[in-house]
Amino acid sequence: MQMNGKAKDPARMAAVAFQAYTRIVAFWGLSEKEAASLADMAESEWTRAKARDFAGELTRDQLLRLSAVVGIYEALELYFSEPLARSWFTRPNTGHLFGGRRPVVTAIEGGLPQILAIRTYLDGLLEGA
């Protein structure tokens, strides 16, 4: 695939996605276990990847997860004001997708389908705004 006349570099794409993801989970205050699980990584893999400039490979599932999380973050920043935008993902939520649980917990348990459902839910809020 070409992008702006240059071939896409999968390692570079993974590194950029991982950098954005690490900043987002820090903004949200996720625990190491939550951040690793949300990215579908073992905690030891997460710790190693964060400790150095990430140059590893991500699976397609992991890349999709990270991309969706970036979209969730962007939607929250656009839809809500500062304190809620940063805490929404970690606060109990009575919405139909969450049943009173924290969105991060449902995302970890439901995997990529739930992460994408949350992304779609927030996109719907933005479209209705």
Side-chain angles (χ1 to χ4, degrees):
M1 276 190 161
Q2 296 284 319
M3 187 172 163
N4 295 333
K6 297 180 181 180
K8 287 184 181 178
D9 178 3
R12 177 74 181 132
M13 285 177 28
V16 169
F18 191 78
Q19 288 170 356
Y21 179 78
T22 57
R23 286 192 303 271
I24 290 167
V25 299
F27 283 138
W28 287 343
L30 299 189
S31 70
E32 296 293 301
K33 183 175 183 173
E34 289 171 332
S37 297
L38 189 59
D40 195 27
M41 293 181 164
E43 279 187 76
S44 58
E45 181 184 6
W46 168 251
T47 302
R48 280 192 311 275
K50 278 189 351 171
R52 56 180 171 75
D53 289 336
F54 182 76
E57 291 185 19
L58 295 172
T59 65
R60 178 178 165 85
D61 180 83
Q62 288 171 322
L63 195 54
L64 287 170
R65 284 169 179 255
L66 273 54
S67 175
V69 167
V70 169
I72 290 168
Y73 172 81
E74 289 174 343
L76 290 171
E77 290 291 317
L78 289 171
Y79 193 73
F80 296 112
S81 61
E82 183 59 36
L84 186 55
R86 298 291 169 100
S87 65
W88 184 92
F89 201 62
T90 59
R91 295 169 56 136
N93 190 312
T94 58
H96 72 280
L97 287 176
F98 315 111
R101 297 171 44 195
R102 298 181 315 133
V104 65
V105 171
T106 67
I108 290 168
E109 291 176 356
L112 185 57
Q114 178 68 1
I115 295 167
L116 294 173
I118 294 169
R119 169 77 192 271
T120 301
Y121 171 78
L122 291 169
D123 287 347
L125 292 178
L126 286 172
E127 289 173 8

